Amino acid sequence: MPATIDDPSGNSPGLTLAAIGIVSMALTLTIGGYGFAMLAFLGAAVSGLCLALGITLVVAEHNRDCVRKQYRARCNGE
């Protein structure tokens, strides 16, 4: 069942990954502040990957919804 405005579960994986990326970025800055350089590099890679994947999934879901709406409008003669 596709997500609707009332049930935004279609973007849940993307939004979750983006939130994990933001939290891991905060943790990375904290770890870097305490002087653990290797963990800070690892955290930066993880946070960057999570943010990039999360934003990509949100944009892909948005584009999929736009295409679906255009298809429905074309088929219904609107």
Side-chain angles (χ1 to χ4, degrees), residues 66-77:
C66 288
V67 168
R68 183 182 297 145
K69 287 177 187 176
Q70 289 172 358
Y71 178 75
R72 283 187 199 151
R74 204 172 346 142
C75 291
N76 293 334

Side-chain angles (χ1 to χ4, degrees), residues 29-51:
L29 291 172
T30 303
I31 289 171
Y34 280 107
F36 297 106
M38 196 59 174
L39 286 176
F41 287 129
L42 180 65
V46 168
S47 62
L49 184 66
C50 286
L51 279 172

Side-chain angles (χ1 to χ4, degrees), residues 17-29 40-55:
L17 275 173
I20 290 171
I22 291 171
V23 170
S24 65
M25 180 63 72
L27 292 174
T28 299
L29 291 172
F41 287 129
L42 180 65
V46 168
S47 62
L49 184 66
C50 286
L51 279 172
L53 285 175
I55 292 170

